[in-house]
Amino acid sequence: MNGEVKQLPKVFNSEEELAEFLDEVLERALKNPDYASKFKEGSVTLTVELSDVGIYKEGITSVEFAFEYKNGIHYLKTTYSKTGYNVWAYKPWKRVIEPVG
């Protein structure tokens, strides 16, 4: 590492606020036929553009949801903000954390 300390942007004030945001994004996405149609048998990765579902969150433009398919049911495996100027990602080939999209 280069020894630099990075202060990551704070987008949500609490875990509850984050959970409410993710619930709203997924709920609206599943009402959109373009997103809902991706749910067939098998695992699903759903990248939701916030502008598609009428949600604005400063610094975040898309959220990704990964579902595992088991016994006829899709289970949410993980979710994370994918793009936007407040979204940061670790890039191991550079050994730094930097903004995405």
Side-chain angles (χ1 to χ4, degrees):
M1 298 262 187
N2 63 9
E4 284 185 41
V5 175
K6 301 282 185 186
Q7 179 64 42
L8 298 178
K10 186 169 186 171
V11 178
F12 298 96
N13 294 316
S14 66
E15 288 182 28
E16 292 80 18
E17 185 181 344
L18 172 60
E20 287 174 13
F21 167 75
L22 294 171
D23 286 345
E24 182 72 14
V25 171
L26 187 56
E27 183 179 315
R28 289 189 187 191
L30 293 177
K31 290 178 182 176
N32 180 323
D34 292 335
Y35 292 113
S37 67
K38 295 184 182 193
F39 283 88
K40 297 180 170 103
E41 284 192 22
S43 298
V44 174
T45 300
L46 194 66
T47 302
V48 179
E49 295 295 326
L50 297 185
S51 61
D52 288 350
V53 295
I55 293 177
Y56 173 78
K57 187 65 175 176
E58 186 174 346
I60 300 173
T61 56
S62 69
V63 176
E64 188 157 291
F65 296 88
F67 293 88
E68 181 178 338
Y69 187 76
K70 195 177 206 180
N71 299 323
I73 299 172
H74 286 95
Y75 294 93
L76 182 61
K77 187 172 157 183
T78 189
T79 186
Y80 54 90
S81 301
K82 185 164 182 165
T83 60
Y85 66 84
N86 274 340
V87 177
W88 290 63
Y90 176 69
K91 297 187 176 184
W93 62 92
K94 290 185 173 184
R95 293 188 166 198
V96 296
I97 296 175
E98 52 186 51
V100 176

